[in-house]
Amino acid sequence: MWGLPVIVILKHGATEDEKGHIIERLASLGYGANVSGVEQTVIGAIGMLDRDRGTLVEGLSALPYVERVVPVLKRYKLASLEFNPQRTTVRVGGVDIGGDTLAVMAGPCSVESREQLFASARAVRDAGATILRGGAFKPRTSPYEFQGAGEEALRLLAAARDEFGLAIVTEVLDTHDIELVARYADMLQIGARNMQNYSLLREVGRTRTPVLLKRGGMYPTIENWLLSAEYILAEGNSQVVLCERGLPPYGDNALRRNVLDLTAVPIVKSLSHLPVIVDPSHGTGKAELVAPLARAAVAVGADGLMVEIHPNPEMALSDGPQSLDIPAFEAMMRDLAPFAAASGRRLSAGAEVPA
Ligand code: PEP
Ligand code: MN
């Protein structure tokens, strides 16, 4: 059974009455208590409701004879591996993320034109990738930069899905656009800037469209990332995929835009049942770093990749410097094969998985 333990450590000299008071308080919230300790009393308790646990920890900490109250285990529950030891597979259109097959999402940063999107989509399909990405609503640092083509871009994505048989992932920036984006997309991307936009997380949690949750926000710790996933899961949407996309660099910005944190992959795998993919495009900001980091991501156990490509990166309206042209993307996919095989994954559905 799932439990949310707390440990209450009493100060030296706490009386039996004081001890009894704490046990009663725990019992009133449905917590069973286990008392131990000779010099100093330690009460271990297990209860069920995270909401109650927060209040309980603060309330008990206020008592003068309590030395410390320690909440054990995680502040997230539905996202945790303890809660769901069977790993989750998320189905996006006809594509599974989290199974034996490496899920590769690729496409332009922004949808710019039919020609640009279709040339990218053809390359995605021909290289054996299965999900097409493309931004329709773009979170740009400057309000004067290209903001995305909006619904026209969504229509083009839907047309590319029909033409090339790919699933579609695209970002939703605002709660007002969720219904519109979900009408076209197979997966809703929550961008790094919105990882801690809790109203947006709640609203995508109320849909039944799979969500790609990028790591970011003001405090992009792994715990906060999983708590953000918890917001979506707690609203009833169980289809969440996490995406590591790099953290701000330490200063050598000319060499890389972000620092890709590949340690996050095995760490998240040890904490959560949710699939985790890696975006080496935003994770590095440099086209020449994308393929090596993609191979490394697969080697550390990522369930998939998200990569930006463009038929002509020089002319891209956003993120050209980190976009692979089509030959470079084909080469990346070819070079991934031995890494996928070594990690026990197929590169595309139907290929052999080594024993
Ligand atoms: C993107 O995928 O184009 C994007 C804006 O990503 P991020 O939110 O990771 O910056
Ligand atoms: Mn981009």
mmCIF file with all atom_site columns, all heavy atoms in Angstrom, residues 185-209:
data_model
loop_
_atom_site.group_PDB
_atom_site.id
_atom_site.type_symbol
_atom_site.label_atom_id
_atom_site.label_alt_id
_atom_site.label_comp_id
_atom_site.label_asym_id
_atom_site.label_entity_id
_atom_site.label_seq_id
_atom_site.pdbx_PDB_ins_code
_atom_site.Cartn_x
_atom_site.Cartn_y
_atom_site.Cartn_z
_atom_site.occupancy
_atom_site.B_iso_or_equiv
_atom_site.pdbx_formal_charge
_atom_site.auth_seq_id
_atom_site.auth_comp_id
_atom_site.auth_asym_id
_atom_site.auth_atom_id
_atom_site.pdbx_PDB_model_num
ATOM 1   N N   . ALA A 1 185 ? -3.329 18.275 -32.461 1.00 0.00 ? 185 ALA A N   1
ATOM 2   C CA  . ALA A 1 185 ? -2.092 17.593 -32.057 1.00 0.00 ? 185 ALA A CA  1
ATOM 3   C C   . ALA A 1 185 ? -2.368 16.238 -31.411 1.00 0.00 ? 185 ALA A C   1
ATOM 4   O O   . ALA A 1 185 ? -3.412 16.036 -30.789 1.00 0.00 ? 185 ALA A O   1
ATOM 5   C CB  . ALA A 1 185 ? -1.317 18.474 -31.076 1.00 0.00 ? 185 ALA A CB  1
ATOM 6   N N   . ASP A 1 186 ? -1.402 15.326 -31.537 1.00 0.00 ? 186 ASP A N   1
ATOM 7   C CA  . ASP A 1 186 ? -1.473 14.043 -30.813 1.00 0.00 ? 186 ASP A CA  1
ATOM 8   C C   . ASP A 1 186 ? -0.817 14.171 -29.458 1.00 0.00 ? 186 ASP A C   1
ATOM 9   O O   . ASP A 1 186 ? -0.997 13.325 -28.588 1.00 0.00 ? 186 ASP A O   1
ATOM 10  C CB  . ASP A 1 186 ? -0.749 12.957 -31.616 1.00 0.00 ? 186 ASP A CB  1
ATOM 11  C CG  . ASP A 1 186 ? -1.373 12.772 -32.980 1.00 0.00 ? 186 ASP A CG  1
ATOM 12  O OD1 . ASP A 1 186 ? -2.576 12.464 -33.037 1.00 0.00 ? 186 ASP A OD1 1
ATOM 13  O OD2 . ASP A 1 186 ? -0.667 12.977 -33.989 1.00 0.00 ? 186 ASP A OD2 1
ATOM 14  N N   . MET A 1 187 ? 0.010  15.196 -29.289 1.00 0.00 ? 187 MET A N   1
ATOM 15  C CA  . MET A 1 187 ? 0.714  15.392 -28.025 1.00 0.00 ? 187 MET A CA  1
ATOM 16  C C   . MET A 1 187 ? 0.918  16.888 -27.811 1.00 0.00 ? 187 MET A C   1
ATOM 17  O O   . MET A 1 187 ? 1.305  17.609 -28.741 1.00 0.00 ? 187 MET A O   1
ATOM 18  C CB  . MET A 1 187 ? 2.062  14.669 -28.084 1.00 0.00 ? 187 MET A CB  1
ATOM 19  C CG  . MET A 1 187 ? 2.882  14.771 -26.816 1.00 0.00 ? 187 MET A CG  1
ATOM 20  S SD  . MET A 1 187 ? 4.383  13.783 -26.930 1.00 0.00 ? 187 MET A SD  1
ATOM 21  C CE  . MET A 1 187 ? 4.324  12.958 -25.349 1.00 0.00 ? 187 MET A CE  1
ATOM 22  N N   . LEU A 1 188 ? 0.671  17.330 -26.581 1.00 0.00 ? 188 LEU A N   1
ATOM 23  C CA  . LEU A 1 188 ? 0.831  18.745 -26.232 1.00 0.00 ? 188 LEU A CA  1
ATOM 24  C C   . LEU A 1 188 ? 2.186  18.936 -25.559 1.00 0.00 ? 188 LEU A C   1
ATOM 25  O O   . LEU A 1 188 ? 2.486  18.280 -24.561 1.00 0.00 ? 188 LEU A O   1
ATOM 26  C CB  . LEU A 1 188 ? -0.271 19.174 -25.253 1.00 0.00 ? 188 LEU A CB  1
ATOM 27  C CG  . LEU A 1 188 ? -1.708 18.991 -25.740 1.00 0.00 ? 188 LEU A CG  1
ATOM 28  C CD1 . LEU A 1 188 ? -2.691 19.287 -24.599 1.00 0.00 ? 188 LEU A CD1 1
ATOM 29  C CD2 . LEU A 1 188 ? -1.986 19.901 -26.932 1.00 0.00 ? 188 LEU A CD2 1
ATOM 30  N N   . GLN A 1 189 ? 2.981  19.826 -26.115 1.00 0.00 ? 189 GLN A N   1
ATOM 31  C CA  . GLN A 1 189 ? 4.279  20.117 -25.497 1.00 0.00 ? 189 GLN A CA  1
ATOM 32  C C   . GLN A 1 189 ? 4.133  21.289 -24.526 1.00 0.00 ? 189 GLN A C   1
ATOM 33  O O   . GLN A 1 189 ? 3.589  22.332 -24.879 1.00 0.00 ? 189 GLN A O   1
ATOM 34  C CB  . GLN A 1 189 ? 5.284  20.464 -26.602 1.00 0.00 ? 189 GLN A CB  1
ATOM 35  C CG  . GLN A 1 189 ? 6.647  20.897 -26.089 1.00 0.00 ? 189 GLN A CG  1
ATOM 36  C CD  . GLN A 1 189 ? 7.644  21.067 -27.228 1.00 0.00 ? 189 GLN A CD  1
ATOM 37  O OE1 . GLN A 1 189 ? 7.593  20.344 -28.227 1.00 0.00 ? 189 GLN A OE1 1
ATOM 38  N NE2 . GLN A 1 189 ? 8.535  22.028 -27.105 1.00 0.00 ? 189 GLN A NE2 1
ATOM 39  N N   . ILE A 1 190 ? 4.621  21.087 -23.301 1.00 0.00 ? 190 ILE A N   1
ATOM 40  C CA  . ILE A 1 190 ? 4.743  22.194 -22.354 1.00 0.00 ? 190 ILE A CA  1
ATOM 41  C C   . ILE A 1 190 ? 6.213  22.582 -22.367 1.00 0.00 ? 190 ILE A C   1
ATOM 42  O O   . ILE A 1 190 ? 7.086  21.773 -22.038 1.00 0.00 ? 190 ILE A O   1
ATOM 43  C CB  . ILE A 1 190 ? 4.311  21.776 -20.931 1.00 0.00 ? 190 ILE A CB  1
ATOM 44  C CG1 . ILE A 1 190 ? 2.839  21.320 -20.909 1.00 0.00 ? 190 ILE A CG1 1
ATOM 45  C CG2 . ILE A 1 190 ? 4.547  22.909 -19.929 1.00 0.00 ? 190 ILE A CG2 1
ATOM 46  C CD1 . ILE A 1 190 ? 1.836  22.399 -21.238 1.00 0.00 ? 190 ILE A CD1 1
ATOM 47  N N   . GLY A 1 191 ? 6.491  23.797 -22.791 1.00 0.00 ? 191 GLY A N   1
ATOM 48  C CA  . GLY A 1 191 ? 7.866  24.241 -22.975 1.00 0.00 ? 191 GLY A CA  1
ATOM 49  C C   . GLY A 1 191 ? 8.564  24.506 -21.651 1.00 0.00 ? 191 GLY A C   1
ATOM 50  O O   . GLY A 1 191 ? 7.929  24.627 -20.600 1.00 0.00 ? 191 GLY A O   1
ATOM 51  N N   . ALA A 1 192 ? 9.899  24.585 -21.752 1.00 0.00 ? 192 ALA A N   1
ATOM 52  C CA  . ALA A 1 192 ? 10.716 24.775 -20.550 1.00 0.00 ? 192 ALA A CA  1
ATOM 53  C C   . ALA A 1 192 ? 10.263 25.987 -19.742 1.00 0.00 ? 192 ALA A C   1
ATOM 54  O O   . ALA A 1 192 ? 10.199 25.937 -18.508 1.00 0.00 ? 192 ALA A O   1
ATOM 55  C CB  . ALA A 1 192 ? 12.172 24.938 -20.966 1.00 0.00 ? 192 ALA A CB  1
ATOM 56  N N   . ARG A 1 193 ? 9.930  27.058 -20.442 1.00 0.00 ? 193 ARG A N   1
ATOM 57  C CA  . ARG A 1 193 ? 9.538  28.279 -19.714 1.00 0.00 ? 193 ARG A CA  1
ATOM 58  C C   . ARG A 1 193 ? 8.269  28.080 -18.908 1.00 0.00 ? 193 ARG A C   1
ATOM 59  O O   . ARG A 1 193 ? 7.988  28.835 -17.986 1.00 0.00 ? 193 ARG A O   1
ATOM 60  C CB  . ARG A 1 193 ? 9.340  29.422 -20.714 1.00 0.00 ? 193 ARG A CB  1
ATOM 61  C CG  . ARG A 1 193 ? 10.646 29.895 -21.344 1.00 0.00 ? 193 ARG A CG  1
ATOM 62  C CD  . ARG A 1 193 ? 10.378 30.589 -22.674 1.00 0.00 ? 193 ARG A CD  1
ATOM 63  N NE  . ARG A 1 193 ? 11.592 30.848 -23.424 1.00 0.00 ? 193 ARG A NE  1
ATOM 64  C CZ  . ARG A 1 193 ? 12.267 29.929 -24.105 1.00 0.00 ? 193 ARG A CZ  1
ATOM 65  N NH1 . ARG A 1 193 ? 11.867 28.661 -24.115 1.00 0.00 ? 193 ARG A NH1 1
ATOM 66  N NH2 . ARG A 1 193 ? 13.354 30.247 -24.757 1.00 0.00 ? 193 ARG A NH2 1
ATOM 67  N N   . ASN A 1 194 ? 7.473  27.104 -19.270 1.00 0.00 ? 194 ASN A N   1
ATOM 68  C CA  . ASN A 1 194 ? 6.184  26.893 -18.602 1.00 0.00 ? 194 ASN A CA  1
ATOM 69  C C   . ASN A 1 194 ? 6.167  25.709 -17.642 1.00 0.00 ? 194 ASN A C   1
ATOM 70  O O   . ASN A 1 194 ? 5.101  25.322 -17.176 1.00 0.00 ? 194 ASN A O   1
ATOM 71  C CB  . ASN A 1 194 ? 5.088  26.700 -19.656 1.00 0.00 ? 194 ASN A CB  1
ATOM 72  C CG  . ASN A 1 194 ? 4.555  28.035 -20.149 1.00 0.00 ? 194 ASN A CG  1
ATOM 73  O OD1 . ASN A 1 194 ? 4.394  28.974 -19.369 1.00 0.00 ? 194 ASN A OD1 1
ATOM 74  N ND2 . ASN A 1 194 ? 4.299  28.127 -21.438 1.00 0.00 ? 194 ASN A ND2 1
ATOM 75  N N   . MET A 1 195 ? 7.350  25.150 -17.331 1.00 0.00 ? 195 MET A N   1
ATOM 76  C CA  . MET A 1 195 ? 7.320  23.968 -16.451 1.00 0.00 ? 195 MET A CA  1
ATOM 77  C C   . MET A 1 195 ? 6.626  24.259 -15.131 1.00 0.00 ? 195 MET A C   1
ATOM 78  O O   . MET A 1 195 ? 6.018  23.386 -14.527 1.00 0.00 ? 195 MET A O   1
ATOM 79  C CB  . MET A 1 195 ? 8.721  23.431 -16.190 1.00 0.00 ? 195 MET A CB  1
ATOM 80  C CG  . MET A 1 195 ? 8.699  22.096 -15.447 1.00 0.00 ? 195 MET A CG  1
ATOM 81  S SD  . MET A 1 195 ? 10.309 21.597 -14.775 1.00 0.00 ? 195 MET A SD  1
ATOM 82  C CE  . MET A 1 195 ? 10.274 22.374 -13.157 1.00 0.00 ? 195 MET A CE  1
ATOM 83  N N   . GLN A 1 196 ? 6.737  25.486 -14.669 1.00 0.00 ? 196 GLN A N   1
ATOM 84  C CA  . GLN A 1 196 ? 6.086  25.808 -13.392 1.00 0.00 ? 196 GLN A CA  1
ATOM 85  C C   . GLN A 1 196 ? 4.901  26.751 -13.570 1.00 0.00 ? 196 GLN A C   1
ATOM 86  O O   . GLN A 1 196 ? 4.524  27.467 -12.651 1.00 0.00 ? 196 GLN A O   1
ATOM 87  C CB  . GLN A 1 196 ? 7.116  26.363 -12.416 1.00 0.00 ? 196 GLN A CB  1
ATOM 88  C CG  . GLN A 1 196 ? 8.123  25.278 -12.030 1.00 0.00 ? 196 GLN A CG  1
ATOM 89  C CD  . GLN A 1 196 ? 9.133  25.735 -11.008 1.00 0.00 ? 196 GLN A CD  1
ATOM 90  O OE1 . GLN A 1 196 ? 9.827  26.717 -11.222 1.00 0.00 ? 196 GLN A OE1 1
ATOM 91  N NE2 . GLN A 1 196 ? 9.216  25.037 -9.889  1.00 0.00 ? 196 GLN A NE2 1
ATOM 92  N N   . ASN A 1 197 ? 4.265  26.674 -14.743 1.00 0.00 ? 197 ASN A N   1
ATOM 93  C CA  . ASN A 1 197 ? 3.018  27.422 -14.978 1.00 0.00 ? 197 ASN A CA  1
ATOM 94  C C   . ASN A 1 197 ? 1.882  26.487 -14.549 1.00 0.00 ? 197 ASN A C   1
ATOM 95  O O   . ASN A 1 197 ? 1.367  25.688 -15.331 1.00 0.00 ? 197 ASN A O   1
ATOM 96  C CB  . ASN A 1 197 ? 2.942  27.781 -16.463 1.00 0.00 ? 197 ASN A CB  1
ATOM 97  C CG  . ASN A 1 197 ? 1.680  28.548 -16.808 1.00 0.00 ? 197 ASN A CG  1
ATOM 98  O OD1 . ASN A 1 197 ? 0.698  28.538 -16.056 1.00 0.00 ? 197 ASN A OD1 1
ATOM 99  N ND2 . ASN A 1 197 ? 1.700  29.191 -17.955 1.00 0.00 ? 197 ASN A ND2 1
ATOM 100 N N   . TYR A 1 198 ? 1.519  26.592 -13.273 1.00 0.00 ? 198 TYR A N   1
ATOM 101 C CA  . TYR A 1 198 ? 0.646  25.561 -12.685 1.00 0.00 ? 198 TYR A CA  1
ATOM 102 C C   . TYR A 1 198 ? -0.759 25.568 -13.262 1.00 0.00 ? 198 TYR A C   1
ATOM 103 O O   . TYR A 1 198 ? -1.384 24.513 -13.355 1.00 0.00 ? 198 TYR A O   1
ATOM 104 C CB  . TYR A 1 198 ? 0.644  25.692 -11.160 1.00 0.00 ? 198 TYR A CB  1
ATOM 105 C CG  . TYR A 1 198 ? 2.053  25.545 -10.593 1.00 0.00 ? 198 TYR A CG  1
ATOM 106 C CD1 . TYR A 1 198 ? 2.674  26.564 -9.918  1.00 0.00 ? 198 TYR A CD1 1
ATOM 107 C CD2 . TYR A 1 198 ? 2.770  24.365 -10.814 1.00 0.00 ? 198 TYR A CD2 1
ATOM 108 C CE1 . TYR A 1 198 ? 3.974  26.430 -9.440  1.00 0.00 ? 198 TYR A CE1 1
ATOM 109 C CE2 . TYR A 1 198 ? 4.068  24.222 -10.347 1.00 0.00 ? 198 TYR A CE2 1
ATOM 110 C CZ  . TYR A 1 198 ? 4.668  25.253 -9.662  1.00 0.00 ? 198 TYR A CZ  1
ATOM 111 O OH  . TYR A 1 198 ? 5.948  25.111 -9.220  1.00 0.00 ? 198 TYR A OH  1
ATOM 112 N N   . SER A 1 199 ? -1.261 26.740 -13.665 1.00 0.00 ? 199 SER A N   1
ATOM 113 C CA  . SER A 1 199 ? -2.612 26.713 -14.237 1.00 0.00 ? 199 SER A CA  1
ATOM 114 C C   . SER A 1 199 ? -2.582 26.004 -15.592 1.00 0.00 ? 199 SER A C   1
ATOM 115 O O   . SER A 1 199 ? -3.506 25.254 -15.926 1.00 0.00 ? 199 SER A O   1
ATOM 116 C CB  . SER A 1 199 ? -3.217 28.113 -14.328 1.00 0.00 ? 199 SER A CB  1
ATOM 117 O OG  . SER A 1 199 ? -2.292 28.998 -14.884 1.00 0.00 ? 199 SER A OG  1
ATOM 118 N N   . LEU A 1 200 ? -1.517 26.213 -16.356 1.00 0.00 ? 200 LEU A N   1
ATOM 119 C CA  . LEU A 1 200 ? -1.394 25.507 -17.648 1.00 0.00 ? 200 LEU A CA  1
ATOM 120 C C   . LEU A 1 200 ? -1.248 23.995 -17.425 1.00 0.00 ? 200 LEU A C   1
ATOM 121 O O   . LEU A 1 200 ? -1.866 23.184 -18.128 1.00 0.00 ? 200 LEU A O   1
ATOM 122 C CB  . LEU A 1 200 ? -0.194 26.073 -18.417 1.00 0.00 ? 200 LEU A CB  1
ATOM 123 C CG  . LEU A 1 200 ? 0.044  25.547 -19.832 1.00 0.00 ? 200 LEU A CG  1
ATOM 124 C CD1 . LEU A 1 200 ? -1.148 25.819 -20.743 1.00 0.00 ? 200 LEU A CD1 1
ATOM 125 C CD2 . LEU A 1 200 ? 1.301  26.178 -20.442 1.00 0.00 ? 200 LEU A CD2 1
ATOM 126 N N   . LEU A 1 201 ? -0.455 23.616 -16.433 1.00 0.00 ? 201 LEU A N   1
ATOM 127 C CA  . LEU A 1 201 ? -0.273 22.183 -16.143 1.00 0.00 ? 201 LEU A CA  1
ATOM 128 C C   . LEU A 1 201 ? -1.613 21.547 -15.757 1.00 0.00 ? 201 LEU A C   1
ATOM 129 O O   . LEU A 1 201 ? -1.966 20.466 -16.240 1.00 0.00 ? 201 LEU A O   1
ATOM 130 C CB  . LEU A 1 201 ? 0.732  21.983 -15.002 1.00 0.00 ? 201 LEU A CB  1
ATOM 131 C CG  . LEU A 1 201 ? 2.156  22.476 -15.267 1.00 0.00 ? 201 LEU A CG  1
ATOM 132 C CD1 . LEU A 1 201 ? 3.013  22.318 -14.009 1.00 0.00 ? 201 LEU A CD1 1
ATOM 133 C CD2 . LEU A 1 201 ? 2.795  21.723 -16.423 1.00 0.00 ? 201 LEU A CD2 1
ATOM 134 N N   . ARG A 1 202 ? -2.363 22.235 -14.907 1.00 0.00 ? 202 ARG A N   1
ATOM 135 C CA  . ARG A 1 202 ? -3.670 21.697 -14.491 1.00 0.00 ? 202 ARG A CA  1
ATOM 136 C C   . ARG A 1 202 ? -4.586 21.523 -15.683 1.00 0.00 ? 202 ARG A C   1
ATOM 137 O O   . ARG A 1 202 ? -5.274 20.507 -15.803 1.00 0.00 ? 202 ARG A O   1
ATOM 138 C CB  . ARG A 1 202 ? -4.343 22.665 -13.508 1.00 0.00 ? 202 ARG A CB  1
ATOM 139 C CG  . ARG A 1 202 ? -3.852 22.541 -12.105 1.00 0.00 ? 202 ARG A CG  1
ATOM 140 C CD  . ARG A 1 202 ? -5.019 22.761 -11.141 1.00 0.00 ? 202 ARG A CD  1
ATOM 141 N NE  . ARG A 1 202 ? -4.612 22.381 -9.808  1.00 0.00 ? 202 ARG A NE  1
ATOM 142 C CZ  . ARG A 1 202 ? -4.014 23.220 -8.955  1.00 0.00 ? 202 ARG A CZ  1
ATOM 143 N NH1 . ARG A 1 202 ? -3.787 24.472 -9.296  1.00 0.00 ? 202 ARG A NH1 1
ATOM 144 N NH2 . ARG A 1 202 ? -3.661 22.796 -7.758  1.00 0.00 ? 202 ARG A NH2 1
ATOM 145 N N   . GLU A 1 203 ? -4.600 22.533 -16.549 1.00 0.00 ? 203 GLU A N   1
ATOM 146 C CA  . GLU A 1 203 ? -5.533 22.473 -17.691 1.00 0.00 ? 203 GLU A CA  1
ATOM 147 C C   . GLU A 1 203 ? -5.158 21.372 -18.679 1.00 0.00 ? 203 GLU A C   1
ATOM 148 O O   . GLU A 1 203 ? -6.042 20.701 -19.197 1.00 0.00 ? 203 GLU A O   1
ATOM 149 C CB  . GLU A 1 203 ? -5.607 23.832 -18.402 1.00 0.00 ? 203 GLU A CB  1
ATOM 150 C CG  . GLU A 1 203 ? -6.375 24.878 -17.619 1.00 0.00 ? 203 GLU A CG  1
ATOM 151 C CD  . GLU A 1 203 ? -7.864 24.530 -17.422 1.00 0.00 ? 203 GLU A CD  1
ATOM 152 O OE1 . GLU A 1 203 ? -8.448 23.881 -18.297 1.00 0.00 ? 203 GLU A OE1 1
ATOM 153 O OE2 . GLU A 1 203 ? -8.404 24.903 -16.362 1.00 0.00 ? 203 GLU A OE2 1
ATOM 154 N N   . VAL A 1 204 ? -3.877 21.182 -18.954 1.00 0.00 ? 204 VAL A N   1
ATOM 155 C CA  . VAL A 1 204 ? -3.540 20.062 -19.852 1.00 0.00 ? 204 VAL A CA  1
ATOM 156 C C   . VAL A 1 204 ? -3.803 18.737 -19.145 1.00 0.00 ? 204 VAL A C   1
ATOM 157 O O   . VAL A 1 204 ? -4.083 17.723 -19.786 1.00 0.00 ? 204 VAL A O   1
ATOM 158 C CB  . VAL A 1 204 ? -2.102 20.111 -20.442 1.00 0.00 ? 204 VAL A CB  1
ATOM 159 C CG1 . VAL A 1 204 ? -1.908 21.339 -21.318 1.00 0.00 ? 204 VAL A CG1 1
ATOM 160 C CG2 . VAL A 1 204 ? -1.031 20.031 -19.378 1.00 0.00 ? 204 VAL A CG2 1
ATOM 161 N N   . GLY A 1 205 ? -3.745 18.754 -17.817 1.00 0.00 ? 205 GLY A N   1
ATOM 162 C CA  . GLY A 1 205 ? -4.086 17.561 -17.036 1.00 0.00 ? 205 GLY A CA  1
ATOM 163 C C   . GLY A 1 205 ? -5.551 17.176 -17.173 1.00 0.00 ? 205 GLY A C   1
ATOM 164 O O   . GLY A 1 205 ? -5.911 16.019 -16.998 1.00 0.00 ? 205 GLY A O   1
ATOM 165 N N   . ARG A 1 206 ? -6.390 18.170 -17.505 1.00 0.00 ? 206 ARG A N   1
ATOM 166 C CA  . ARG A 1 206 ? -7.830 17.873 -17.663 1.00 0.00 ? 206 ARG A CA  1
ATOM 167 C C   . ARG A 1 206 ? -8.154 17.338 -19.039 1.00 0.00 ? 206 ARG A C   1
ATOM 168 O O   . ARG A 1 206 ? -9.258 16.858 -19.271 1.00 0.00 ? 206 ARG A O   1
ATOM 169 C CB  . ARG A 1 206 ? -8.654 19.123 -17.368 1.00 0.00 ? 206 ARG A CB  1
ATOM 170 C CG  . ARG A 1 206 ? -8.611 19.448 -15.896 1.00 0.00 ? 206 ARG A CG  1
ATOM 171 C CD  . ARG A 1 206 ? -9.509 20.603 -15.493 1.00 0.00 ? 206 ARG A CD  1
ATOM 172 N NE  . ARG A 1 206 ? -9.197 20.903 -14.109 1.00 0.00 ? 206 ARG A NE  1
ATOM 173 C CZ  . ARG A 1 206 ? -8.979 22.126 -13.621 1.00 0.00 ? 206 ARG A CZ  1
ATOM 174 N NH1 . ARG A 1 206 ? -9.086 23.162 -14.399 1.00 0.00 ? 206 ARG A NH1 1
ATOM 175 N NH2 . ARG A 1 206 ? -8.665 22.271 -12.347 1.00 0.00 ? 206 ARG A NH2 1
ATOM 176 N N   . THR A 1 207 ? -7.203 17.446 -19.982 1.00 0.00 ? 207 THR A N   1
ATOM 177 C CA  . THR A 1 207 ? -7.442 16.846 -21.299 1.00 0.00 ? 207 THR A CA  1
ATOM 178 C C   . THR A 1 207 ? -7.030 15.371 -21.214 1.00 0.00 ? 207 THR A C   1
ATOM 179 O O   . THR A 1 207 ? -6.463 14.929 -20.199 1.00 0.00 ? 207 THR A O   1
ATOM 180 C CB  . THR A 1 207 ? -6.596 17.512 -22.410 1.00 0.00 ? 207 THR A CB  1
ATOM 181 O OG1 . THR A 1 207 ? -5.229 17.098 -22.248 1.00 0.00 ? 207 THR A OG1 1
ATOM 182 C CG2 . THR A 1 207 ? -6.690 19.023 -22.361 1.00 0.00 ? 207 THR A CG2 1
ATOM 183 N N   . ARG A 1 208 ? -7.275 14.654 -22.268 1.00 0.00 ? 208 ARG A N   1
ATOM 184 C CA  . ARG A 1 208 ? -6.779 13.275 -22.334 1.00 0.00 ? 208 ARG A CA  1
ATOM 185 C C   . ARG A 1 208 ? -5.755 13.141 -23.462 1.00 0.00 ? 208 ARG A C   1
ATOM 186 O O   . ARG A 1 208 ? -5.513 12.056 -23.979 1.00 0.00 ? 208 ARG A O   1
ATOM 187 C CB  . ARG A 1 208 ? -7.945 12.284 -22.504 1.00 0.00 ? 208 ARG A CB  1
ATOM 188 C CG  . ARG A 1 208 ? -8.823 12.202 -21.248 1.00 0.00 ? 208 ARG A CG  1
ATOM 189 C CD  . ARG A 1 208 ? -8.017 11.704 -20.029 1.00 0.00 ? 208 ARG A CD  1
ATOM 190 N NE  . ARG A 1 208 ? -8.738 11.815 -18.768 1.00 0.00 ? 208 ARG A NE  1
ATOM 191 C CZ  . ARG A 1 208 ? -8.625 12.844 -17.917 1.00 0.00 ? 208 ARG A CZ  1
ATOM 192 N NH1 . ARG A 1 208 ? -7.822 13.866 -18.173 1.00 0.00 ? 208 ARG A NH1 1
ATOM 193 N NH2 . ARG A 1 208 ? -9.303 12.859 -16.788 1.00 0.00 ? 208 ARG A NH2 1
ATOM 194 N N   . THR A 1 209 ? -5.161 14.265 -23.826 1.00 0.00 ? 209 THR A N   1
ATOM 195 C CA  . THR A 1 209 ? -4.109 14.263 -24.845 1.00 0.00 ? 209 THR A CA  1
ATOM 196 C C   . THR A 1 209 ? -2.770 14.090 -24.134 1.00 0.00 ? 209 THR A C   1
ATOM 197 O O   . THR A 1 209 ? -2.524 14.749 -23.121 1.00 0.00 ? 209 THR A O   1
ATOM 198 C CB  . THR A 1 209 ? -4.131 15.609 -25.614 1.00 0.00 ? 209 THR A CB  1
ATOM 199 O OG1 . THR A 1 209 ? -5.452 15.820 -26.110 1.00 0.00 ? 209 THR A OG1 1
ATOM 200 C CG2 . THR A 1 209 ? -3.152 15.601 -26.764 1.00 0.00 ? 209 THR A CG2 1
#
